[in-house]
Short mmCIF file of all heavy atoms in Angstrom, two decimals:
data_model
loop_
_atom_site.label_atom_id
_atom_site.label_comp_id
_atom_site.label_asym_id
_atom_site.label_seq_id
_atom_site.Cartn_x
_atom_site.Cartn_y
_atom_site.Cartn_z
N LEU A 1 -86.30 -172.81 25.44
CA LEU A 1 -86.30 -172.92 26.90
C LEU A 1 -86.37 -174.38 27.30
O LEU A 1 -87.43 -174.90 27.65
CB LEU A 1 -87.47 -172.14 27.48
CG LEU A 1 -87.47 -170.64 27.23
CD1 LEU A 1 -88.77 -170.00 27.71
CD2 LEU A 1 -86.27 -169.99 27.91
N TYR A 2 -85.22 -175.03 27.28
CA TYR A 2 -85.14 -176.45 27.65
C TYR A 2 -84.97 -176.66 29.15
O TYR A 2 -85.17 -177.76 29.64
CB TYR A 2 -83.98 -177.14 26.91
CG TYR A 2 -84.26 -177.38 25.46
CD1 TYR A 2 -83.65 -176.62 24.48
CD2 TYR A 2 -85.14 -178.39 25.06
CE1 TYR A 2 -83.91 -176.86 23.14
CE2 TYR A 2 -85.40 -178.64 23.74
CZ TYR A 2 -84.78 -177.86 22.78
OH TYR A 2 -85.04 -178.10 21.46
N ASP A 3 -84.59 -175.63 29.88
CA ASP A 3 -84.31 -175.77 31.31
C ASP A 3 -85.52 -175.49 32.19
O ASP A 3 -85.38 -175.02 33.32
CB ASP A 3 -83.15 -174.85 31.71
CG ASP A 3 -81.82 -175.30 31.14
OD1 ASP A 3 -81.73 -176.47 30.74
OD2 ASP A 3 -80.89 -174.49 31.10
N VAL A 4 -86.71 -175.78 31.67
CA VAL A 4 -87.94 -175.59 32.44
C VAL A 4 -88.79 -176.85 32.35
O VAL A 4 -88.67 -177.63 31.40
CB VAL A 4 -88.74 -174.37 31.93
CG1 VAL A 4 -87.97 -173.07 32.13
CG2 VAL A 4 -89.12 -174.53 30.47
N LEU A 5 -89.64 -177.05 33.35
CA LEU A 5 -90.48 -178.25 33.38
C LEU A 5 -91.40 -178.36 32.17
O LEU A 5 -91.71 -179.45 31.72
CB LEU A 5 -91.31 -178.28 34.67
CG LEU A 5 -90.53 -178.61 35.94
CD1 LEU A 5 -91.41 -178.40 37.16
CD2 LEU A 5 -89.99 -180.02 35.90
N ASP A 6 -91.82 -177.21 31.62
CA ASP A 6 -92.72 -177.24 30.47
C ASP A 6 -92.07 -177.81 29.21
O ASP A 6 -92.76 -178.11 28.24
CB ASP A 6 -93.24 -175.83 30.16
CG ASP A 6 -94.29 -175.37 31.17
OD1 ASP A 6 -94.87 -176.24 31.85
OD2 ASP A 6 -94.52 -174.16 31.27
N ALA A 7 -90.76 -177.99 29.22
CA ALA A 7 -90.06 -178.57 28.07
C ALA A 7 -90.06 -180.10 28.13
O ALA A 7 -89.55 -180.76 27.23
CB ALA A 7 -88.63 -178.06 28.01
N LEU A 8 -90.64 -180.65 29.18
CA LEU A 8 -90.62 -182.09 29.42
C LEU A 8 -92.03 -182.65 29.58
O LEU A 8 -92.93 -181.97 30.07
CB LEU A 8 -89.82 -182.40 30.69
CG LEU A 8 -88.36 -181.99 30.65
CD1 LEU A 8 -87.89 -181.58 32.02
CD2 LEU A 8 -87.52 -183.13 30.12
N TYR A 9 -92.20 -183.91 29.20
CA TYR A 9 -93.44 -184.63 29.46
C TYR A 9 -93.33 -185.25 30.86
O TYR A 9 -93.11 -186.45 31.01
CB TYR A 9 -93.66 -185.73 28.42
CG TYR A 9 -93.95 -185.24 27.03
CD1 TYR A 9 -93.11 -185.57 25.98
CD2 TYR A 9 -95.09 -184.48 26.76
CE1 TYR A 9 -93.40 -185.15 24.69
CE2 TYR A 9 -95.38 -184.06 25.48
CZ TYR A 9 -94.53 -184.39 24.45
OH TYR A 9 -94.81 -183.98 23.18
N MET A 10 -93.50 -184.43 31.89
CA MET A 10 -93.30 -184.89 33.25
C MET A 10 -94.38 -185.88 33.68
O MET A 10 -94.10 -186.82 34.43
CB MET A 10 -93.24 -183.70 34.21
CG MET A 10 -92.01 -182.82 34.00
SD MET A 10 -90.45 -183.72 34.17
CE MET A 10 -90.51 -184.16 35.89
N ASP A 11 -95.61 -185.70 33.21
CA ASP A 11 -96.67 -186.66 33.57
C ASP A 11 -96.33 -188.05 33.04
O ASP A 11 -96.59 -189.05 33.71
CB ASP A 11 -98.02 -186.22 33.01
CG ASP A 11 -98.57 -184.99 33.73
OD1 ASP A 11 -98.13 -184.73 34.87
OD2 ASP A 11 -99.43 -184.30 33.16
N GLU A 12 -95.75 -188.11 31.85
CA GLU A 12 -95.35 -189.40 31.27
C GLU A 12 -94.22 -190.03 32.08
O GLU A 12 -94.17 -191.25 32.26
CB GLU A 12 -94.93 -189.23 29.81
CG GLU A 12 -96.07 -188.91 28.89
CD GLU A 12 -97.11 -190.02 28.85
OE1 GLU A 12 -96.73 -191.21 28.79
OE2 GLU A 12 -98.32 -189.70 28.88
N MET A 13 -93.32 -189.19 32.59
CA MET A 13 -92.23 -189.69 33.41
C MET A 13 -92.77 -190.31 34.69
O MET A 13 -92.36 -191.42 35.08
CB MET A 13 -91.25 -188.57 33.72
CG MET A 13 -90.03 -189.02 34.47
SD MET A 13 -88.90 -187.63 34.67
CE MET A 13 -87.54 -188.45 35.43
N VAL A 14 -93.69 -189.61 35.35
CA VAL A 14 -94.30 -190.13 36.58
C VAL A 14 -95.02 -191.44 36.28
O VAL A 14 -94.92 -192.42 37.04
CB VAL A 14 -95.25 -189.10 37.21
CG1 VAL A 14 -96.04 -189.71 38.36
CG2 VAL A 14 -94.47 -187.89 37.71
N LYS A 15 -95.73 -191.47 35.17
CA LYS A 15 -96.45 -192.69 34.76
C LYS A 15 -95.49 -193.86 34.57
O LYS A 15 -95.75 -194.98 35.01
CB LYS A 15 -97.23 -192.41 33.48
CG LYS A 15 -98.08 -193.55 33.01
CD LYS A 15 -98.84 -193.14 31.74
CE LYS A 15 -99.58 -194.32 31.16
NZ LYS A 15 -100.26 -193.94 29.90
N SER A 16 -94.35 -193.61 33.93
CA SER A 16 -93.34 -194.66 33.72
C SER A 16 -92.80 -195.18 35.04
O SER A 16 -92.60 -196.39 35.21
CB SER A 16 -92.19 -194.13 32.86
OG SER A 16 -92.62 -193.84 31.57
N ILE A 17 -92.54 -194.28 35.97
CA ILE A 17 -92.03 -194.69 37.28
C ILE A 17 -93.07 -195.52 38.02
O ILE A 17 -92.77 -196.58 38.58
CB ILE A 17 -91.61 -193.46 38.11
CG1 ILE A 17 -90.42 -192.76 37.44
CG2 ILE A 17 -91.27 -193.87 39.54
CD1 ILE A 17 -90.12 -191.39 38.01
N ARG A 18 -94.32 -195.05 38.02
CA ARG A 18 -95.39 -195.79 38.70
C ARG A 18 -95.61 -197.17 38.08
O ARG A 18 -95.83 -198.15 38.79
CB ARG A 18 -96.68 -194.98 38.69
CG ARG A 18 -96.65 -193.79 39.62
CD ARG A 18 -98.04 -193.14 39.72
NE ARG A 18 -98.00 -191.90 40.44
CZ ARG A 18 -98.00 -191.78 41.76
NH1 ARG A 18 -98.00 -192.86 42.50
NH2 ARG A 18 -97.99 -190.60 42.33
N ASN A 19 -95.53 -197.25 36.75
CA ASN A 19 -95.67 -198.55 36.08
C ASN A 19 -94.55 -199.49 36.49
O ASN A 19 -94.77 -200.67 36.72
CB ASN A 19 -95.71 -198.38 34.56
CG ASN A 19 -97.02 -197.83 34.07
OD1 ASN A 19 -98.04 -197.90 34.76
ND2 ASN A 19 -97.01 -197.24 32.89
N TRP A 20 -93.33 -198.97 36.58
CA TRP A 20 -92.20 -199.79 37.02
C TRP A 20 -92.44 -200.27 38.45
O TRP A 20 -92.20 -201.43 38.77
CB TRP A 20 -90.89 -199.01 36.93
CG TRP A 20 -89.72 -199.82 37.38
CD1 TRP A 20 -88.95 -200.63 36.61
CD2 TRP A 20 -89.23 -199.94 38.73
NE1 TRP A 20 -87.99 -201.24 37.40
CE2 TRP A 20 -88.14 -200.84 38.70
CE3 TRP A 20 -89.60 -199.38 39.94
CZ2 TRP A 20 -87.43 -201.16 39.85
CZ3 TRP A 20 -88.89 -199.71 41.08
CH2 TRP A 20 -87.80 -200.60 41.02
N MET A 21 -92.92 -199.39 39.30
CA MET A 21 -93.14 -199.73 40.71
C MET A 21 -94.18 -200.84 40.88
O MET A 21 -94.07 -201.66 41.78
CB MET A 21 -93.58 -198.49 41.51
CG MET A 21 -92.49 -197.45 41.67
SD MET A 21 -93.09 -195.91 42.38
CE MET A 21 -93.36 -196.44 44.08
N LYS A 22 -95.18 -200.86 40.01
CA LYS A 22 -96.22 -201.88 40.08
C LYS A 22 -95.69 -203.27 39.77
O LYS A 22 -96.13 -204.26 40.34
CB LYS A 22 -97.36 -201.56 39.12
CG LYS A 22 -98.21 -200.41 39.55
CD LYS A 22 -99.27 -200.13 38.50
CE LYS A 22 -99.96 -198.81 38.79
NZ LYS A 22 -100.82 -198.41 37.67
N ASN A 23 -94.75 -203.34 38.82
CA ASN A 23 -94.25 -204.64 38.40
C ASN A 23 -92.81 -204.54 37.91
O ASN A 23 -92.54 -204.66 36.72
CB ASN A 23 -95.16 -205.21 37.30
CG ASN A 23 -94.96 -206.70 37.14
OD1 ASN A 23 -94.14 -207.31 37.81
ND2 ASN A 23 -95.70 -207.27 36.23
N PRO A 24 -91.87 -204.32 38.82
CA PRO A 24 -90.48 -204.11 38.41
C PRO A 24 -89.83 -205.34 37.78
O PRO A 24 -88.94 -205.22 36.94
CB PRO A 24 -89.77 -203.72 39.70
CG PRO A 24 -90.61 -204.27 40.78
CD PRO A 24 -92.02 -204.23 40.27
N ALA A 25 -90.27 -206.52 38.16
CA ALA A 25 -89.65 -207.74 37.63
C ALA A 25 -89.93 -207.91 36.14
O ALA A 25 -89.14 -208.53 35.43
CB ALA A 25 -90.15 -208.96 38.40
N SER A 26 -91.01 -207.36 35.65
CA SER A 26 -91.32 -207.49 34.23
C SER A 26 -91.55 -206.12 33.62
O SER A 26 -92.48 -205.90 32.86
CB SER A 26 -92.55 -208.37 34.01
OG SER A 26 -93.67 -207.78 34.61
N SER A 27 -90.67 -205.19 33.95
CA SER A 27 -90.84 -203.80 33.51
C SER A 27 -90.52 -203.60 32.05
O SER A 27 -90.75 -202.53 31.51
CB SER A 27 -89.94 -202.88 34.35
OG SER A 27 -88.59 -203.18 34.10
N GLY A 28 -89.98 -204.60 31.40
CA GLY A 28 -89.61 -204.44 30.01
C GLY A 28 -88.22 -203.84 29.83
O GLY A 28 -87.73 -203.73 28.72
N VAL A 29 -87.61 -203.46 30.92
CA VAL A 29 -86.26 -202.91 30.86
C VAL A 29 -85.29 -204.08 30.94
O VAL A 29 -85.33 -204.87 31.86
CB VAL A 29 -86.00 -201.93 32.03
CG1 VAL A 29 -84.58 -201.39 31.97
CG2 VAL A 29 -87.01 -200.80 32.01
N VAL A 30 -84.43 -204.19 29.93
CA VAL A 30 -83.47 -205.29 29.90
C VAL A 30 -82.31 -204.96 30.81
O VAL A 30 -81.73 -203.88 30.73
CB VAL A 30 -82.96 -205.53 28.46
CG1 VAL A 30 -81.93 -206.62 28.42
CG2 VAL A 30 -84.13 -205.83 27.53
N THR A 31 -82.00 -205.87 31.71
CA THR A 31 -80.88 -205.65 32.61
C THR A 31 -79.86 -206.76 32.44
O THR A 31 -80.19 -207.88 32.11
CB THR A 31 -81.33 -205.62 34.08
OG1 THR A 31 -81.96 -206.86 34.38
CG2 THR A 31 -82.28 -204.49 34.35
N GLU A 32 -78.62 -206.39 32.66
CA GLU A 32 -77.53 -207.37 32.62
C GLU A 32 -77.24 -207.80 34.04
O GLU A 32 -77.60 -207.13 35.00
CB GLU A 32 -76.29 -206.71 32.01
CG GLU A 32 -76.51 -206.13 30.63
CD GLU A 32 -75.34 -205.24 30.21
OE1 GLU A 32 -74.32 -205.20 30.91
OE2 GLU A 32 -75.48 -204.59 29.17
N GLU A 33 -76.57 -208.92 34.18
CA GLU A 33 -76.12 -209.33 35.51
C GLU A 33 -75.09 -208.32 35.99
O GLU A 33 -74.22 -207.89 35.23
CB GLU A 33 -75.46 -210.72 35.43
CG GLU A 33 -76.47 -211.84 35.36
CD GLU A 33 -77.32 -211.93 36.61
OE1 GLU A 33 -76.75 -211.89 37.73
OE2 GLU A 33 -78.54 -212.03 36.48
N PRO A 34 -75.16 -207.92 37.25
CA PRO A 34 -74.17 -206.98 37.79
C PRO A 34 -72.77 -207.56 37.67
O PRO A 34 -72.57 -208.75 37.88
CB PRO A 34 -74.57 -206.81 39.25
CG PRO A 34 -75.96 -207.33 39.35
CD PRO A 34 -76.16 -208.30 38.23
N GLN A 35 -71.83 -206.69 37.33
CA GLN A 35 -70.45 -207.15 37.14
C GLN A 35 -69.67 -207.22 38.44
O GLN A 35 -68.88 -208.11 38.65
CB GLN A 35 -69.73 -206.20 36.17
CG GLN A 35 -70.35 -206.21 34.79
CD GLN A 35 -69.77 -205.12 33.92
OE1 GLN A 35 -68.95 -204.32 34.34
NE2 GLN A 35 -70.20 -205.09 32.67
N ASN A 36 -69.89 -206.27 39.32
CA ASN A 36 -69.10 -206.18 40.54
C ASN A 36 -69.99 -206.11 41.77
O ASN A 36 -69.82 -205.26 42.63
CB ASN A 36 -68.21 -204.92 40.50
CG ASN A 36 -67.25 -204.96 39.36
OD1 ASN A 36 -66.60 -205.97 39.14
ND2 ASN A 36 -67.16 -203.88 38.61
N THR A 37 -70.94 -207.00 41.86
CA THR A 37 -71.87 -206.97 42.98
C THR A 37 -71.12 -207.20 44.30
O THR A 37 -70.35 -208.13 44.42
CB THR A 37 -72.95 -208.06 42.83
OG1 THR A 37 -73.60 -207.86 41.59
CG2 THR A 37 -73.96 -207.98 43.94
N CYS A 38 -71.39 -206.33 45.25
CA CYS A 38 -70.81 -206.49 46.58
C CYS A 38 -71.37 -207.76 47.21
O CYS A 38 -72.52 -208.11 47.00
CB CYS A 38 -71.16 -205.29 47.46
SG CYS A 38 -70.60 -203.73 46.79
N ASP A 39 -70.56 -208.46 47.99
CA ASP A 39 -70.98 -209.71 48.61
C ASP A 39 -72.26 -209.56 49.43
O ASP A 39 -73.12 -210.43 49.42
CB ASP A 39 -69.87 -210.29 49.49
CG ASP A 39 -68.73 -210.85 48.65
OD1 ASP A 39 -68.98 -211.21 47.49
OD2 ASP A 39 -67.61 -210.91 49.17
N ASN A 40 -72.41 -208.45 50.14
CA ASN A 40 -73.59 -208.28 50.99
C ASN A 40 -74.85 -207.93 50.19
O ASN A 40 -75.92 -207.83 50.74
CB ASN A 40 -73.35 -207.26 52.09
CG ASN A 40 -73.00 -205.89 51.54
OD1 ASN A 40 -72.72 -205.74 50.37
ND2 ASN A 40 -73.00 -204.91 52.40
N LEU A 41 -74.74 -207.77 48.87
CA LEU A 41 -75.90 -207.50 48.03
C LEU A 41 -76.36 -208.72 47.24
O LEU A 41 -77.41 -208.70 46.63
CB LEU A 41 -75.60 -206.36 47.05
CG LEU A 41 -75.38 -204.99 47.64
CD1 LEU A 41 -74.97 -204.01 46.55
CD2 LEU A 41 -76.61 -204.50 48.36
N LYS A 42 -75.59 -209.77 47.26
CA LYS A 42 -75.89 -210.93 46.43
C LYS A 42 -77.16 -211.66 46.86
O LYS A 42 -77.77 -212.36 46.06
CB LYS A 42 -74.70 -211.88 46.39
CG LYS A 42 -73.55 -211.29 45.60
CD LYS A 42 -72.40 -212.23 45.47
CE LYS A 42 -71.31 -211.54 44.65
NZ LYS A 42 -70.12 -212.33 44.52
N ASN A 43 -77.61 -211.49 48.08
CA ASN A 43 -78.81 -212.17 48.56
C ASN A 43 -80.04 -211.28 48.50
O ASN A 43 -81.05 -211.58 49.13
CB ASN A 43 -78.59 -212.67 49.99
CG ASN A 43 -77.51 -213.73 50.04
OD1 ASN A 43 -77.43 -214.55 49.14
ND2 ASN A 43 -76.71 -213.70 51.08
N THR A 44 -79.99 -210.20 47.75
CA THR A 44 -81.11 -209.27 47.67
C THR A 44 -81.88 -209.46 46.37
O THR A 44 -82.27 -208.49 45.72
CB THR A 44 -80.62 -207.83 47.79
OG1 THR A 44 -79.68 -207.58 46.73
CG2 THR A 44 -80.00 -207.55 49.13
#
């Protein structure tokens, strides 16, 4: 039964999201420079 919440570590997922929200700039997730950034997003 993979299509139910009990098949997932949902508390860990929430924890990961909250940790990212606390410090997104140093979340440990490696990001690349956007390839096709829209002009109106470049100052964000």
Side-chain angles (χ1 to χ4, degrees):
L1 298 173
Y2 286 106
D3 291 342
V4 296
L5 287 171
D6 286 340
L8 298 147
Y9 291 120
M10 293 302 295
D11 289 340
E12 290 298 317
M13 185 176 185
V14 171
K15 184 178 174 183
S16 294
I17 295 168
R18 288 188 188 279
N19 286 340
W20 180 90
M21 291 172 72
K22 287 178 191 170
N23 198 358
S26 63
S27 65
V29 179
V30 178
T31 59
E32 303 168 8
E33 282 296 313
Q35 297 171 357
N36 299 313
T37 304
C38 301
D39 288 336
N40 59 348
L41 293 175
K42 290 184 180 177
N43 295 322
T44 58

